[in-house]
Amino acid sequence: MNLTDTHTHLYSEEFSEDRTEMIERAISKGVSRFFIPSIDSTYTQKMYDLEKQFPDNIFLMMGLHPCYVKENYEEELAHVETELAKRKFLAIGEIGIDLYWDKTTLGIQKIAFQRQIQWAKKYKLPINIHCREAFDEIFEVLELEKSDDLFGIFHCFSGTYEQALQAISYNMKLGIGGVVTFKNGKVDQFIHQIDIKHIVLETDSPYLAPAPHRGKRNESSYVTLVAQKLSEIYNLPVDEIARITTENALEVFQMLG
């Protein structure tokens, strides 16, 4: 089985005691690719170190996470721009808008989101979108930037069926993780209506662990549990879920062929 975790924070402090073992455990369960989103400049070196340790498995994104869009956001965006000019990344992310923690930064979050979308177009890269309590605001920015060269992943998708269709209309795949296994997650109620060609798997580890680990530390090997849940929902063998979602991921990250 060949699985892909399209969103995992492997540099997280929560893995400081067993990071290498945790990654090797995931690889042993068939997770061959890990896509690492950026948060801010303080994590950049840790990302590079992980890539050096697992060059065949770890692939990096670059971006400024919306929760880290603060007073110094111009300085942080300058760091993103510098890194993008230096070397190859697989995506711009994670970027977007988060109104759960702080609504007062909405204005600068929009600026940072739109600017990073424009860099994605410049470098012909996908975007990886973080959206929390901000679907309308996210769609407003995507509407401004919509074009054939706008594409990517709506990370940790937790919206409605209608919002799923709208996200797909902007050339976005839906990143499906642990939430699909939650009893109150709601995504499991309609996801079968979405063609699986629009779905990629993720963990968002160390956050949002799937059942039966909900509330505990998440890790990339648990992407197998997400695949199993989708196997039940789509009535397809889990190997087929792994194959299709990995192909979808390789397509969006432009690694096919």
Side-chain angles (χ1 to χ4, degrees), residues 191-192 194-196 199 230-236 241:
I191 201 71
H192 65 283
I194 303 291
D195 192 312
I196 197 167
I199 305 294
L230 289 180
S231 168
E232 295 166 20
I233 290 171
Y234 282 98
N235 196 26
L236 287 170
I241 294 289

Side-chain angles (χ1 to χ4, degrees), residues 7 37 61 65-66 91-97 113 117 126-132 134-135 138-139 141-142 150-157 167 170-173 175 202:
H7 198 107
M61 309 182 208
H65 190 296
I92 308 284
E94 67 189 276
I95 64 175
I97 299 173
F113 184 32
I117 289 173
I127 59 173
N128 187 281
I129 298 176
H130 172 108
C131 174
R132 194 165 185 193
F135 276 100
I138 291 276
F139 289 144
V141 176
L142 292 179
L150 172 68
F151 65 107
I153 295 172
F154 221 106
H155 146 62
C156 193
F157 185 82
Y170 295 114
N171 299 326
M172 298 296 142
K173 306 283 189 201
E202 62 166 71

Side-chain angles (χ1 to χ4, degrees), residues 8 13 46 105 132 139 145 147-148 171 205 211 221 230 244:
T8 176
E13 290 80 3
K46 292 176 182 175
T105 57
R132 194 165 185 193
F139 289 144
E145 291 293 335
S147 59
D148 290 342
N171 299 326
S205 60
S221 67
L230 289 180
I244 295 168

